[in-house]
């Protein structure tokens, strides 16, 4: 379930409502935010199935006037490194001027009869800031079908730092709406930052 809003108190309440180790998640996020005012946020708790195990994790996205903060918490079963179950929380703070791309992919049913303002049934928000890139390579070729020369490789490099997928069926329409609102706030904030340079 995702929650979005614009206040630090609202952020804390959304983390608590997610029900996923709220004290742990809130402490990590609040430490990363520090004294900055929260402009917008999304809290997305997701349950996945991995073989015979049910795994939960939560992602918290926070926008301040100067930074984009992403926090992710996963739970792990007991293993050779720990005799008891444990959770791992990580946070990353990114200056807004480092964000290089914001991609919002929308899946819309019956596009021939789409009405502006209708919520998509699924949204994937992908944010890139240069920490992680995906490179897809393939052998290069020329137009000569008889050529057997080595033309090297060609490919694409794609920023792939964070992808958050929400759907109407799995998360509800409010989650889809809230993710779109956060994406718009982040896009506007990065445009303002780049214009100020």
């Amino acid at each position: 379930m995702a929650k979005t809003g614009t206040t630090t108190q609202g952020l804390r309440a959304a983390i608590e409502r997610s029900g996923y180790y709220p004290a742990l998640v809130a402490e990590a996020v609040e430490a990363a935010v520090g004294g900055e005012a929260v402009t917008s946020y999304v809290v997305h708790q997701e349950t996945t199935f991995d073989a015979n195990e049910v795994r939960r994790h939560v992602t918290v996205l926070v926008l301040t006037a100067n930074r984009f903060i992403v926090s992710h918490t996963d739970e792990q079963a007991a293993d050779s490194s720990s005799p008891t179950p444990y959770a791992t929380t990580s946070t990353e703070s990114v200056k807004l001027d480092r964000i290089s791309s914001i991609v919002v992919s929308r899946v819309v049913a019956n596009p021939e009869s789409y009405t502006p303002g209708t919520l998509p049934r699924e949204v994937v928000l992908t944010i890139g800031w240069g920490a992680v890139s995906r490179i897809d390579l393939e052998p290069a070729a020329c137009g000569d079908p008889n050529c057997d020369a080595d033309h090297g490789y060609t490919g694409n490099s794609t920023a792939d730092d964070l992808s958050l997928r929400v759907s109407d069926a799995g998360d509800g329409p409010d989650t889809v709406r809230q993710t779109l609102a956060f994406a718009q706030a982040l896009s506007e904030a990065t445009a303002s930052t780049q214009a100020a340079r």
Side-chain angles (χ1 to χ4, degrees):
M1 169 185 247
K3 300 293 177 195
T4 188
T6 58
T7 67
T8 305
Q9 296 82 9
L11 172 58
R12 177 66 183 236
I15 290 170
E16 289 174 2
R17 278 192 307 272
S18 79
Y20 185 83
Y21 306 122
L24 174 65
V25 173
E27 181 180 51
V29 171
E30 289 168 0
V33 171
E36 287 190 77
V38 173
T39 304
S40 186
Y41 61 83
V42 173
V43 177
H44 183 250
Q45 192 268 328
E46 184 175 17
T47 302
T48 57
F49 300 94
D50 182 16
N52 296 330
E53 295 181 30
V54 175
R55 293 186 182 257
R56 299 180 306 154
H57 57 99
V58 68
T59 302
V60 180
L61 308 180
V62 180
L63 178 61
T64 71
N66 302 306
R67 297 179 298 148
F68 164 69
I69 298 164
V70 59
S71 175
H72 189 80
T73 304
D74 282 305
E75 63 183 358
Q76 304 293 328
D79 59 22
S80 61
S81 68
S82 175
T84 60
Y86 61 98
T88 303
T89 299
S90 61
T91 57
E92 183 171 2
S93 299
V94 181
K95 288 183 177 181
L96 290 178
D97 63 0
R98 287 206 39 228
I99 294 179
S100 56
S101 67
I102 301 167
V103 179
V104 180
S105 299
R106 303 163 195 241
V107 177
V108 177
N110 303 313
E112 69 282 353
S113 60
Y114 176 77
T115 303
T118 302
L119 283 178
R121 70 178 188 197
E122 181 177 313
V123 172
V124 179
L125 172 60
T126 304
I127 303 166
W129 58 90
V132 178
S133 293
R134 181 181 66 238
I135 298 176
D136 297 316
L137 295 175
E138 60 184 40
C142 67
D144 182 357
N146 298 318
C147 179
D148 60 359
D150 182 357
H151 294 286
Y153 290 88
T154 184
N156 297 309
S157 175
T158 308
D160 198 17
D161 294 307
L162 171 79
S163 283
L164 181 72
R165 177 189 169 273
V166 297
S167 69
D168 185 15
D171 303 294
D174 287 343
T175 301
V176 173
R177 188 176 296 108
Q178 293 161 350
T179 302
L180 289 170
F182 181 85
Q184 182 175 348
L186 181 61
S187 184
E188 290 170 358
T190 56
S192 296
T193 302
Q194 292 170 358
R197 283 196 227 171

